[in-house]
Amino acid sequence: ERVCKLANFLKKNGIKKGDVVSIYLPVSIEAIVSMLACARIGAVHSVVFSAFSAESLKNRLIDGGAKMLITSDGYYRRGKVEMLRDKVKEAIKGTKVKKILVAQKIEKKKLLGRFLDWERVERESAEFKPIEMDAEDPLFILYTSGTIGKPKGIVHVNGGYAVQAAYTTKIVFNLIERDVMWCTADIGWITGHTYACYGLLLNG
């Protein structure tokens, strides 16, 4: 239901098949919902590790040509508040980002201009028929960390990635029907994409 609501919200806000949506969120339900909502409408998601700087986020927004950014106002890390809002305001300058969807976790504020409150998503319909995709259509872009040289955006396509994610999740972890799997990987890395989200869902 949450995925369909967000899919409807994205479509209503001009996001269509092939558009890039950047996700700058801590590990949260909203992060998973955002990835799956993008997949449902055929948009390409690009998750950026939430601990990265404003400059790192900006570089990835520009390189990927993101039209929308999904983020939160902040989150708790080791007992302290990390404010993402300030980094986002700096990062979006000079980018193609037209709208910023914000999950307010720390403090409720009235959002203005391009900034939209996640509460708007809750008003949308909980039904959305998924867009048909070809095997070679892109599913997401994930950037290398940039520890050596400029970060490189790696494009993962629907068909090949789905087969790899489903197979390795089942075989590497020897999953059986009654298993419960817990993945500690951050959603900003490929391990989080595959073993906290797609691989598990593809295996039912």
Side-chain angles (χ1 to χ4, degrees), residues 79-139:
K80 294 180 181 178
V81 175
E82 294 277 341
M83 293 306 290
L84 289 184
R85 186 174 51 228
D86 300 333
K87 292 198 279 187
V88 165
K89 284 180 178 176
E90 187 62 33
I92 60 173
K93 293 174 183 173
T95 70
K96 292 180 179 177
V97 174
K98 291 182 170 56
K99 294 181 181 176
I100 302 99
L101 179 61
V102 184
Q104 300 201 70
K105 302 281 193 178
I106 308 300
E107 56 186 3
K108 287 294 290 179
K109 278 193 170 187
K110 187 174 181 181
L111 300 175
L112 303 170
R114 292 187 281 175
F115 291 84
L116 309 172
D117 196 318
W118 189 283
E119 284 186 358
R120 295 188 184 198
V121 174
E122 298 307 317
R123 302 174 202 153
E124 299 294 335
S125 167
E127 292 184 13
F128 189 97
K129 186 180 177 184
I131 301 297
E132 277 192 26
M133 303 293 284
D134 290 331
E136 293 301 312
D137 285 336
L139 174 62

Side-chain angles (χ1 to χ4, degrees), residues 139-140 156-168 198-199 202-203:
L139 174 62
F140 64 89
H156 297 258
V157 297
N158 278 271
Y161 176 74
V163 171
Q164 181 273 147
Y167 184 76
T168 59
Y198 286 113
L202 287 162
N203 276 282

Side-chain angles (χ1 to χ4, degrees), residues 34-55:
S34 297
M35 291 166 62
L36 296 174
C38 288
R40 200 164 187 86
I41 69 171
V44 180
H45 63 72
S46 177
V47 178
V48 179
F49 180 41
S50 60
F52 276 169
S53 67
E55 187 65 25

Side-chain angles (χ1 to χ4, degrees), residues 167-187:
Y167 184 76
T168 59
T169 302
K170 183 174 178 62
I171 300 303
V172 172
F173 299 105
N174 190 30
L175 294 183
I176 55 175
E177 192 82 9
R178 65 179 180 271
D179 283 346
V180 174
M181 183 167 164
W182 176 38
C183 178
T184 61
D186 192 282
I187 206 68

